[in-house]
Amino acid sequence: MQVNFEELFLSKIDKEIKIEPKDWMPEKYRQTNIRQISQHAHSEIVGMLPEGAWITRAPSLKRKAILLAKVQDEGGHGLYLYSAAETLGISRDEMTDQLLTGKAKYSSIFNYPSLTWADMGAIGWLVDGAAILNQVMLCRTSYGPYARAMVRICKEESFHQRQGFEILLVLSQGTDEQKAMCQDAINRWWWPSLMMFGPTDSESTNSDQSIKWKIKRKSNDELRQQFVDMAVQQIKVLNMTLPDADLKWNDERKHYDFGAINWDEFWQVVKGNGPCNKERLDARKKAWNDGAWVREAAIAYAEKKKKSLPQPLQGGALKTA
Amino acid sequence: MQQPIPNSQFLIPYCLHLADTTLILSHRNSEWCGHGPILEQDIALTNIALDLLGQARNLYQYAATLMGDEFDEDKLAYLRNPSEFKNHLITERPNEDWAVTVLRQFYFSSFQHYFYSELKNSSDKQLAAIANKSLKEVAYHLRWSSEWVIRLGDGTTESNAKMQNAVEVLKDYTDEFFVMSNEEIELLQQAISVDLSTIKNNWQQKINEVFAEATLQFLYSTQPKIGGKLCQHTQYLTDLLVDMQVLQRTYPNSVW
Ligand SMILES: [Fe+2]
Ligand SMILES: [Fe+2]
Ligand SMILES: [Fe+2]
């Protein structure tokens, strides 16, 4: 009897059985996952930059420790995700190359600048908040390694959003200058955060197939709505406002209506014309190029040890804190 | 800093010296976060930065309790001037490159390892407890940094040259580890501080061992730079503190 691989694959999707690296899968499924997971990984890594810029200026030792740990977490998320993508037959170096040559994208949100300390709050609350909704959904994505990476990541993400909200909360109860700083950061990060969910469903090219294959389980617009509904509640605690005059409860839909998103801006940033696209990519290129000799030395040393010693040094030894 | 409680006139500056040194090195290491040469090592160095920051906080908090109610860890870190800081000069140097960063960490972690091994027997219970707790962290820092000194020293011709350059760059900065300040001499009589002369040999031996494996040549200082503990600093510290203290200075008396 001949096994129809495609049918087997689809029946697994249907029965909520995870697809694993050695399983047969349609080439397009593989490519879609590679694209999505690697872009997700790049977003974690590039996402270290806007917040990383404030580590040295954090206003208290406690905030410094929290921010440092938070940015470090994002690096860890990048690691989990690169590993998940590698199970699909692409190397981390290839993925890095795609990022640095502009072939692979990362979340456009990180092309906005972090101008004040309040941005650390707004990024945690809004950007991590938006990311969480997407990532909670992805804990149930059909590709096993991706789903499992997401479960680990989600555990850390709620701390990220909490610390961001707490930064804003303290500012919102502070001096007039701090309150103004808080509102200004919310104003600047609100719309770009809504754009994080991607184009509206009618414009989104990859969405249909991804939902059929259960890579995605909610549409961009559904997630965006969930985010708006959540933020409207939380902003009240801050005693601040969201910069949208059209925000209004819709009793028929049982959701908040919100104003039109500036999709021109969105596409401009995606195309590379955002405020910090060049800076972000330059920072990644610099780190990569400056570090070339370190990576080469590590490889050369490992080769030498392989020849001479039975046991090489434990190189990447990571301490889990 | 006025009116220290009795018996603390030496203990307070001693704590501040230890706190400042770990804070400033943590700060320098944290500058790498997001810019490291290898993702795993970016994370590893950030772990070290976090550990050192934790040690600094413990030490500042202890100093603050000795100094009185109006002080806390943030006032000590954010509202003192460069001329009041007592960190080792090696910690305020810019990172320069990964070779200098790794070698500086190795020198410092080796020092901290032997230092805390002694301080954990201090007659001051609080310092002894901090030393004991920190020692476990330092064991990891020392392992990580010595492995990287070896790997880069014995890696490629290029990496060896960069490491040997780092040895040259840092050669005048390690003698300061072993210079006793006034307060250290005073506190030694009560078995509170560490006799630095007793750990110097161990330190040198450790360096020699690792350098032998790394095929690096140790360079002795010709003009030791030793002013840090006496609050004599370089422009680098001023620049660092301008950046670090900017929010506390710009918006005084605010809660963050
Ligand atoms: Fe993340
Ligand atoms: Fe996050
Ligand atoms: Fe950690």
Side-chain angles (χ1 to χ4, degrees):
Chain A
M1 204 183 88
Q2 213 186 342
V3 186
N4 183 327
F5 287 117
E6 174 126 31
E7 265 170 34
L8 189 63
F9 169 80
L10 289 171
S11 84
K12 278 187 193 160
I13 298 277
D14 199 44
K15 292 186 205 141
E16 301 286 337
I17 297 170
K18 297 280 179 245
I19 307 303
E20 296 299 335
K22 293 212 166 75
D23 295 351
W24 184 92
M25 61 188 86
E27 192 49 29
K28 178 113 193 296
Y29 177 87
R30 180 185 301 276
Q31 292 310 328
T32 303
N33 266 294
I34 288 179
R35 198 191 63 237
Q36 190 175 326
I37 301 170
S38 66
Q39 292 189 4
H40 195 159
H42 299 328
S43 301
E44 302 283 354
I45 301 307
V46 177
M48 296 170 83
L49 299 172
E51 288 173 289
W54 282 85
I55 289 169
T56 60
R57 290 175 288 179
S60 73
L61 297 181
K62 181 182 142 202
R63 293 281 170 223
K64 193 193 273 288
I66 293 173
L67 185 62
L68 193 50
K70 196 264 185 191
V71 178
Q72 182 198 38
D73 275 354
E74 307 298 8
H77 296 175
L79 262 188
Y80 306 159
L81 287 162
Y82 283 128
S83 305
E86 281 179 320
T87 63
L88 290 160
I90 185 168
S91 71
R92 208 205 290 185
D93 279 2
E94 278 174 87
M95 289 184 267
T96 302
D97 188 64
Q98 291 176 350
L99 171 69
L100 299 184
T101 56
K103 203 178 149 217
K105 299 278 179 229
Y106 54 87
S107 180
S108 275
I109 192 81
F110 301 118
N111 291 317
Y112 290 86
S114 51
L115 301 178
T116 73
W117 171 250
D119 290 32
M120 300 306 97
I123 292 174
W125 178 44
L126 296 172
V127 176
D128 286 86
I132 287 170
L133 292 183
N134 191 41
Q135 291 175 163
V136 165
M137 167 190 78
L138 288 170
C139 289
R140 297 191 303 126
T141 192
S142 58
Y143 187 56
Y146 192 20
R148 289 190 287 273
M150 277 302 132
V151 172
R152 290 176 78 180
I153 288 172
C154 279
K155 280 190 193 140
E156 296 174 348
E157 285 296 345
S158 61
F159 146 69
H160 295 180
Q161 195 190 20
R162 228 178 320 120
Q163 63 87 34
F165 191 77
E166 198 188 288
I167 288 172
L168 295 181
L169 190 61
V170 171
L171 293 175
S172 75
Q173 296 164 351
T175 64
D176 288 348
E177 278 162 314
Q178 287 177 307
K179 284 178 190 159
M181 198 187 275
C182 180
Q183 183 64 60
D184 165 67
I186 294 168
N187 292 349
R188 283 181 291 107
W189 289 94
W190 173 249
W191 290 106
S193 302
L194 290 193
M195 296 177 198
M196 279 176 73
F197 297 96
T200 192
D201 294 348
S202 52
E203 309 273 314
S204 178
T205 43
N206 303 313
S207 264
D208 273 3
Q209 185 60 268
S210 285
I211 285 193
K212 273 187 204 129
W213 279 338
K214 294 184 182 167
I215 298 174
K216 283 180 69 122
R217 315 198 59 137
K218 285 181 182 177
S219 76
N220 295 352
D221 286 336
E222 273 177 272
L223 287 167
R224 185 162 22 238
Q225 183 69 59
Q226 208 183 332
F227 179 70
V228 170
D229 291 347
M230 180 194 77
V232 172
Q233 297 308 322
Q234 294 177 343
I235 194 87
K236 292 177 192 162
V237 182
L238 295 177
N239 243 323
M240 297 276 142
T241 55
L242 294 170
D244 180 357
D246 297 326
L247 262 180
K248 198 169 74 240
W249 177 249
N250 181 326
D251 208 39
E252 232 163 87
R253 296 201 306 122
K254 300 288 176 210
H255 286 296
Y256 282 88
D257 290 337
F258 52 96
I261 290 171
N262 181 350
W263 292 113
D264 285 345
E265 176 182 326
F266 174 78
W267 289 115
Q268 280 302 317
V269 182
V270 170
K271 275 185 224 147
N273 303 322
C276 302
N277 293 60
K278 185 173 177 331
E279 251 171 283
R280 299 298 184 230
L281 218 47
D282 284 353
R284 287 316 309 155
K285 283 181 193 160
K286 183 175 189 318
W288 187 251
N289 295 335
D290 289 356
W293 69 272
V294 178
R295 296 189 301 275
E296 283 158 20
I299 292 167
Y301 181 79
E303 287 296 320
K304 280 187 208 175
K305 290 292 123 173
K306 220 188 285 173
K307 278 175 209 153
S308 62
L309 282 172
Q311 268 201 330
L313 282 168
Q314 296 285 304
L318 267 184
K319 194 182 73 166
T320 44
Chain B
M1 319 281 120
Q2 77 264 43
Q3 297 184 352
I5 60 171
N7 296 326
S8 310
Q9 82 260 40
F10 302 117
L11 189 51
I12 290 168
Y14 189 49
C15 289
L16 289 177
H17 154 61
L18 298 177
D20 291 343
T21 287
T22 46
L23 175 68
I24 301 302
L25 186 56
S26 166
H27 186 103
R28 283 296 183 216
N29 286 340
S30 78
E31 291 173 359
W32 277 103
C33 184
H35 306 276
I38 301 172
L39 188 47
E40 284 85 342
Q41 306 317 323
D42 190 311
I43 292 170
L45 189 62
T46 302
N47 260 327
I48 295 176
L50 277 165
D51 287 343
L52 293 173
L53 179 56
Q55 293 173 17
R57 292 183 68 187
N58 287 332
L59 291 157
Y60 281 130
Q61 284 162 13
Y62 181 40
T65 61
L66 298 170
M67 292 168 80
D69 279 348
E70 68 271 39
F71 292 97
D72 60 34
E73 56 171 5
D74 288 329
K75 286 210 174 112
L76 294 175
Y78 288 91
L79 298 176
R80 279 155 66 235
N81 293 324
S83 63
E84 296 171 275
F85 268 70
K86 295 172 171 296
N87 57 285
H88 288 134
L89 293 175
I90 194 171
T91 62
E92 70 196 52
R93 283 190 46 86
N95 292 332
E96 210 146 322
D97 65 9
W98 187 253
V100 172
T101 303
V102 160
L103 185 65
R104 179 183 58 196
Q105 193 58 50
F106 171 58
Y107 283 162
F108 186 76
S109 295
S110 307
F111 168 72
Q112 264 200 327
H113 171 75
Y114 295 111
F115 177 78
Y116 281 143
S117 298
E118 294 299 319
L119 191 67
K120 79 175 198 302
N121 304 320
S122 171
S123 66
D124 184 289
K125 291 286 162 279
Q126 195 62 37
L127 282 181
I130 293 172
N132 204 28
K133 180 166 173 275
S134 307
L135 205 47
K136 294 180 193 109
E137 298 166 352
V138 172
Y140 160 75
H141 306 169
L142 182 54
R143 183 161 51 90
W144 180 86
S145 60
S146 48
E147 283 176 6
W148 274 97
V149 168
I150 292 167
R151 185 175 290 115
L152 296 175
D154 191 22
T156 61
T157 316
E158 184 187 9
S159 71
N160 178 273
K162 285 198 193 276
M163 287 307 289
Q164 196 59 55
N165 175 63
V167 175
E168 173 75 40
V169 166
L170 295 177
K171 78 175 178 358
D172 291 330
Y173 289 88
T174 56
D175 284 348
E176 187 179 17
F177 292 152
F178 309 103
V179 177
M180 295 286 280
S181 66
N182 237 348
E183 54 260 18
E184 284 174 306
I185 294 168
E186 292 291 336
L187 293 171
L188 196 54
Q189 291 164 20
Q190 301 158 64
I192 292 175
S193 63
V194 172
D195 182 355
L196 297 172
S197 65
T198 63
I199 61 177
K200 186 172 184 179
N201 282 341
N202 288 336
W203 181 86
Q204 188 65 57
Q205 213 177 333
K206 177 77 188 168
I207 305 304
N208 292 348
E209 259 168 44
V210 168
F211 272 32
E213 219 182 318
T215 65
L216 292 171
Q217 199 201 340
F218 185 78
L219 298 176
Y220 288 90
S221 172
T222 43
Q223 285 180 306
K225 301 203 187 327
I226 52 175
K229 284 171 157 183
L230 304 174
C231 303
Q232 292 156 3
H233 291 281
T234 59
Q235 177 69 33
Y236 299 129
L237 181 69
T238 309
D239 295 346
L240 185 155
L241 291 180
V242 164
D243 187 48
M244 189 182 96
Q245 298 178 337
V246 63
L247 286 165
Q248 289 267 355
R249 300 280 191 187
T250 314
Y251 306 99
N253 304 315
S254 304
V255 178
W256 300 94

